[in-house]
Amino acid sequence: MLYSRKASDGSDRREALADHVRLVADLCEQNCRKFGVPSLGRLVGIVHDAGKSSEQWQRYLLNDEQSEMIPHAPTGAKLLWQTAQEFSDVSYERYAAEIAELLVWGHHSGLSDVIEPDGAASYEARLQEMPDSGQAEAIEQFQCQVIPENDIRKLLESSAEELQIIHTRFTEHCNADVYPENAKQDALLPEEKQKIKQRRAEKREFFKGLLARMVFSCLCDSDRYASACWENCLEAATYTTDPKLWGELAAKLEKRIDNFPDSPINTARRQISDECLESVKKMREPSGIYRLNVVTGGGKTLAVMRSALYLAQKFDKDHIFYVAPFTTIIDQTAQILRETFGRGDILLEHHSNLISHGKDENENEKQQREKEDQLDTFAERWDIPLILTSQVQFLEALFSGRGQCVRRMHQLCNSVLIFDEVQSVPVKCISMFNLAVNFLAGFCGCTVILCSATQPALEEIARPLRLS
């Protein structure tokens, strides 16, 4: 039997390789279903550890014959490359394989640069090298004992169909964009038309990159989570939030609002909050991009949270994210919400100043360490209903090369995303921010609310935000 790992507690407990890759494939498939590519998720999940099938790797695992890790990720990528050779160079099967190869190769080391700064394509050259004897042996053993070649081919064909559908949606979305130039005159000059055509093409390619990165997030998280569950003898499951929770939290927030003392400012804040709630009750689509424009001191934090809880309950969202530029805002908001909800187990603060809350003088060090470990786990995965985080952490989840950041990215799907003080998004990041938010709202089931007393004109720049 082929094994994936052995227990770190010194026992002889071992996990079968087939069991591990099938669990990772199940988890990855379910997470990728949220944005339309479940077969691609299953494909990368099932082949990611094919390299562990070699005799050398099995000896390394079981006998501790050498201290240095034997790279196993390239083998799965080469298996995919070989499988794809029977398809045309311009087929979606070949394209699906290219994405899967890149993700499998980097599931431990991170995504490789396909084209390096000097123009070299060393990744492609390494990928297309013939498998060495150990890799060839691993591929043969993997197909004999874990999953046959024909099943991998069928998954590749299903992945191709998914990508063709979602790329058609990308094209339709990008072609429907209205750019600032369109509003200036009826008859655009040829060079202006070409500029708009180029922007649409760039946006489509940007979406393709985000899609690949989203699948990578699912693979990285599924692999690490499945491994942790086996190590700790826990049952693995994809994240879901109990729909009843949103109603429970909404009721507590209503109680807090009702108990505010009567005053002119509280009356005005309640009116603003009521108008917000009435607006979201009119929403019929489970995703979109909206604005909340409220003057400073108008109570927009509780107003937007009240609306977000309603949307989460109505559209069965997995998370609510509150994203703010400054840790002081996050700390203050987190304190208000803890007091309101009376629960710390459903809320995570995640920013550079993250510290554990609620330490009592009589709490021993072991309990405190366990609490900090739990906070670290939530921060790694964002698998908690309500996440309060910084702009930096949000942007890193989308764009950072670090595995611990990209691992969280897929949790943004099917969520309500609140951006407080959105005018503070750094100027150099605005185009990337707009395109990412358009992607999340357009293809990942997100409802986005931009909060500010001074709303930036994000729809008026060269790469505009698509407001609902």
Side-chain angles (χ1 to χ4, degrees):
M1 178 182 286
L2 299 172
Y3 296 102
S4 173
R5 63 181 34 79
K6 62 180 180 180
S8 60
D9 58 8
S11 68
D12 197 39
R13 192 164 62 94
R14 304 169 185 178
E15 181 183 28
L17 177 61
D19 292 342
H20 173 68
V21 297
R22 285 169 185 152
L23 176 57
V24 172
D26 289 344
L27 295 170
C28 200
E29 177 183 7
Q30 291 178 56
N31 284 322
C32 286
R33 192 177 301 280
K34 295 179 182 180
F35 46 95
V37 288
S39 294
L40 182 58
R42 185 161 197 85
L43 176 65
V44 296
I46 205 75
V47 305
H48 78 285
D49 272 354
K52 292 184 177 181
S53 301
S54 72
E55 183 179 346
Q56 183 187 20
W57 202 94
Q58 290 294 308
R59 287 200 309 269
Y60 154 77
L61 175 68
L62 300 177
N63 301 327
D64 296 322
E65 290 187 358
Q66 58 188 86
S67 58
E68 292 187 6
M69 181 72 170
I70 300 174
H72 64 274
T75 304
K78 290 179 181 288
L79 167 59
L80 290 163
W81 185 82
Q82 287 183 345
T83 306
Q85 295 312 298
E86 64 184 78
F87 299 99
S88 163
D89 287 348
V90 295
S91 66
Y92 271 94
E93 284 82 3
R94 186 68 70 89
Y95 180 65
E98 288 177 359
I99 294 177
E101 292 154 10
L102 183 67
L103 308 189
V104 168
W105 191 301
H107 77 272
H108 284 298
S109 59
L111 294 176
S112 300
D113 288 330
V114 177
I115 303 296
E116 295 172 28
D118 61 0
S122 60
Y123 163 76
E124 186 175 11
R126 285 180 290 151
L127 177 66
Q128 296 181 4
E129 291 174 354
M130 289 299 295
D132 60 32
S133 58
Q135 291 172 335
E137 176 214 350
I139 290 172
E140 181 180 357
Q141 290 298 317
F142 187 75
Q143 291 176 336
C144 288
Q145 298 192 41
V146 180
I147 180 171
E149 181 181 6
N150 191 50
D151 287 359
I152 297 175
R153 185 183 299 108
K154 289 179 180 178
L155 280 174
L156 188 60
E157 292 170 344
S158 299
S159 301
E161 294 174 1
E162 294 168 354
L163 288 173
Q164 188 168 10
I165 292 171
I166 199 166
H167 285 183
T168 299
R169 292 177 58 206
F170 286 169
T171 300
E172 292 172 349
H173 177 104
C174 296
N175 288 345
D177 278 343
V178 177
Y179 290 89
E181 291 89 342
N182 295 108
K184 294 178 182 178
Q185 57 192 61
D186 294 332
L188 294 175
L189 298 174
E191 57 267 27
E192 290 176 322
K193 290 182 179 179
Q194 182 60 33
K195 186 184 295 184
I196 290 176
K197 183 178 179 181
Q198 179 62 27
R199 286 182 193 155
R200 285 173 173 159
E202 288 176 353
K203 182 176 181 179
R204 188 166 57 247
E205 295 306 310
F206 195 89
F207 282 178
K208 290 180 183 179
L210 285 177
L211 176 67
R213 186 179 167 88
M214 191 69 85
V215 180
F216 187 59
S217 172
C218 294
L219 173 61
C220 291
D221 184 61
S222 298
D223 184 29
R224 289 152 178 75
Y225 174 59
S227 299
C229 287
W230 181 85
E231 185 70 38
N232 294 284
C233 300
L234 300 173
E235 184 176 350
T238 50
Y239 178 85
T240 56
T241 295
D242 183 354
K244 296 178 181 178
L245 174 68
W246 303 125
E248 174 192 326
L249 299 182
K252 291 182 177 180
L253 184 56
E254 291 292 335
K255 183 177 180 180
R256 179 183 179 113
I257 293 173
D258 290 341
N259 288 336
F260 282 150
D262 290 334
S263 69
I265 187 65
N266 283 338
T267 299
R269 287 170 175 165
R270 180 60 189 249
Q271 182 180 352
I272 291 169
S273 179
D274 289 344
E275 289 181 7
C276 290
L277 186 59
E278 289 304 312
S279 295
V280 299
K281 286 181 178 180
K282 298 174 184 177
M283 293 182 188
R284 296 294 177 263
E285 297 297 326
S287 60
I289 304 172
Y290 304 90
R291 281 177 167 160
L292 175 56
N293 189 14
V294 176
V295 297
T296 302
K300 68 177 181 295
T301 300
L302 290 183
V304 74
M305 188 57 62
R306 188 183 183 202
S307 300
L309 289 169
Y310 175 86
L311 291 170
Q313 185 177 23
K314 179 177 180 179
F315 295 116
D316 196 19
K317 299 294 187 182
D318 292 330
H319 308 275
I320 295 175
F321 285 87
Y322 174 87
V323 183
F326 309 117
T327 57
T328 51
I329 298 176
I330 301 172
D331 288 339
Q332 182 181 9
T333 303
Q335 183 62 31
I336 292 171
L337 295 181
R338 283 194 190 92
E339 293 172 357
T340 300
F341 299 144
R343 293 182 60 176
D345 60 316
I346 49 86
L347 184 150
L348 168 70
E349 274 187 82
H350 185 206
H351 51 76
S352 59
N353 294 344
L354 180 65
I355 57 173
S356 57
H357 290 268
K359 181 176 181 180
D360 299 321
E361 292 182 0
N362 61 351
E363 187 174 42
N364 63 46
E365 292 183 2
K366 181 180 179 181
Q367 289 174 320
Q368 181 61 19
R369 188 165 59 252
E370 289 175 350
K371 184 179 293 185
E372 291 172 352
D373 289 344
Q374 187 180 48
L375 285 171
D376 288 342
T377 301
F378 287 144
E380 284 178 2
R381 302 195 66 219
W382 280 351
D383 57 340
I384 194 168
L386 186 56
I387 299 103
L388 288 78
T389 192
S390 62
Q391 280 182 7
V392 170
Q393 293 295 340
F394 172 78
L395 292 172
E396 285 198 338
L398 290 168
F399 303 119
S400 173
R402 290 181 295 164
Q404 66 197 55
C405 295
V406 70
R407 181 182 178 184
R408 308 178 188 115
M409 181 180 174
H410 71 281
Q411 298 284 18
L412 295 168
C413 296
N414 192 39
S415 297
V416 180
L417 308 180
I418 302 167
F419 293 95
D420 203 357
E421 306 296 348
V422 69
Q423 80 283 354
S424 65
V425 173
V427 172
K428 65 180 180 180
C429 297
I430 285 180
S431 287
M432 293 173 70
F433 175 83
N434 279 1
L435 292 173
V437 170
N438 285 338
F439 175 79
L440 291 169
F443 305 99
C444 301
C446 293
T447 301
V448 180
I449 306 175
L450 311 175
C451 303
S452 179
T454 52
Q455 288 280 353
L458 297 178
E459 76 282 11
E460 296 293 337
I461 67 170
R463 295 168 182 83
L465 195 69
R466 177 179 284 193
L467 295 168
S468 298

